[in-house]
Amino acid sequence: MLVTLVDGCLCLQSDQAFVTLATNDSYAKGAMVLGQSLRNHNTTKKLVALIGPHVAEPCREVLSSIYDEVCVVDVMDSGDAAHLSLMKRPDLGVTFTKLHCWTLTQYSKCVFMDADTLVLSNIDELFEREELSAAPDPGWPDCFNSGVFVFKPSNETHEKLLTFCGENGSFDGGDQGVLNSFFNTWATADISKHLPFIYNLSSIAIYSYLPAFKQYGRNAKVVHFLGKVKPWSHSYDTQRGVVKGHSQSLNCLYAQSVVPLLQQAYGETPFNSGFFDSSEDDVSEQAAPFASPPRKFHQRKGSSAGSRQIDYMGDDSFANIERKLDSFLK
Ligand SMILES: [Mn+2]
């Protein structure tokens, strides 16, 4: 193990890493903000970004400046087990890409974080937990949410997961369904594998239990932008350096840390400073490189014509969490 001097203190070079996944440029921007937030809170762990083959070169460049490792994952080129499983379930392409994190066997332990999460304090203590540790999903608390989880890379586990996925598919069409079916004793076997909700605080909590959110929300260590509308779905005002009408905390991180890197990487080439129309944004967690059908819960949007219903997973969730975030993050 390598030993380095950091700020005059003796630190062990980590064989542990935070891992994220970006299969398109839009999620790559989320990954930049996530990586930067981990750096800002002085993580001692390595940062690894798995990216799909469609992520543009300048985005890769920026990711490389923030992350220790950027690995292109092309499931079509990967091993036999992956290929065979994918042939059986072409709809699970993005899920297979995420499962690829188990092959990072150069690390002894990892924490996976979705590219739509943001770290609000140092969370290195998560590495004291064992596989598979995760926080409950607010929609069905006997399931864990797969936006943040602790795992142990292993080719054996990877193969088992792929085979399981090929044979059983996913009950929700994504990685969360597969992982909950595979690690099916999470809810009952070992309470130490239940991460506190503050490690994966989703906007939906504001609606489902507002008094608890008011009581505990300020302790949040990780926020997860679960909804269809992501922070990067909003338009960015280059002149003023702010995301129009949106969260100051996100503005600062994105405008000060990520935009200058993008400007450098793109050089003279014009680029979209980050923000896409939400209509163009993907509906399932990450659509490319495989066209997968949208998840059921997204189809709710618009189906409630007539009476105005709260769009828990969409606009309402984001608008509200950022308002709360701003009040807590001062
Ligand atoms: Mn997510």
Side-chain angles (χ1 to χ4, degrees), residues 11 103 140 252 300:
C11 300
T103 67
W140 195 267
C252 291
R300 261 194 259 144

Side-chain angles (χ1 to χ4, degrees), residues 68-270:
D68 296 293
E69 262 194 88
V70 177
C71 317
V72 183
V73 180
D74 192 344
V75 188
M76 302 308 283
D77 295 342
S78 57
D80 275 356
H83 216 139
L84 275 173
S85 313
L86 188 60
M87 304 271 263
K88 285 189 213 160
R89 296 301 306 257
D91 54 314
L92 295 178
V94 171
T95 296
F96 284 107
T97 308
K98 184 160 172 175
L99 297 180
H100 203 83
C101 67
W102 262 273
T103 67
L104 296 168
T105 51
Q106 65 271 42
Y107 301 103
S108 63
K109 196 185 282 183
C110 296
V111 172
F112 184 92
M113 302 190 73
D114 270 2
D116 57 353
T117 60
L118 176 70
V119 165
L120 305 178
S121 66
N122 185 293
I123 53 167
D124 288 356
E125 68 272 16
L126 284 181
F127 289 84
E128 291 160 20
R129 308 270 181 158
E130 300 302 322
E131 176 174 276
L132 184 291
S133 294
D137 186 88
W140 195 267
D142 279 348
C143 285
F144 57 82
N145 183 280
S146 61
V148 177
F149 62 87
V150 182
F151 70 100
K152 185 176 169 44
S154 145
N155 289 321
E156 196 190 333
T157 310
H158 182 240
E159 297 248 323
K160 282 184 186 161
L161 273 165
L162 292 177
T163 308
F164 183 87
C165 203
E167 283 167 5
N168 304 285
S170 165
F171 70 78
D172 70 355
D175 58 280
Q176 183 160 313
V178 175
L179 291 173
N180 272 278
S181 302
F182 188 82
F183 295 100
N184 63 358
T185 62
W186 174 84
T188 52
D190 181 356
I191 195 69
S192 73
K193 293 184 179 178
H194 286 226
L195 299 181
F197 195 55
I198 52 168
Y199 287 99
N200 188 350
L201 181 73
S202 48
S203 38
I204 199 169
I206 299 170
Y207 299 99
S208 47
Y209 198 177
L210 182 61
F213 184 83
K214 285 180 172 164
Q215 179 74 6
Y216 303 115
R218 71 192 70 242
N219 303 326
K221 289 172 183 278
V222 178
V223 283
H224 188 178
F225 299 96
L226 270 190
K228 179 179 180 292
V229 181
K230 303 296 187 188
W232 57 81
S233 311
H234 298 273
S235 56
Y236 180 71
D237 184 337
T238 332
Q239 246 75 59
R240 290 174 52 234
V242 294
V243 180
K244 287 173 190 157
H246 288 286
S247 169
Q248 286 310 309
S249 36
L250 287 170
N251 272 340
C252 291
L253 198 61
Y254 187 77
Q256 290 168 11
S257 303
V258 173
V259 170
L261 293 172
L262 279 167
Q263 276 163 346
Q264 214 175 1
Y266 276 89
E268 296 298 295
T269 322

Side-chain angles (χ1 to χ4, degrees), residues 225-230 233 278-279 281-283 298 301 313-314:
F225 299 96
L226 270 190
K228 179 179 180 292
V229 181
K230 303 296 187 188
S233 311
S278 51
S279 56
D281 212 355
D282 48 314
V283 284
H298 291 299
K301 199 170 183 180
M313 304 301 290

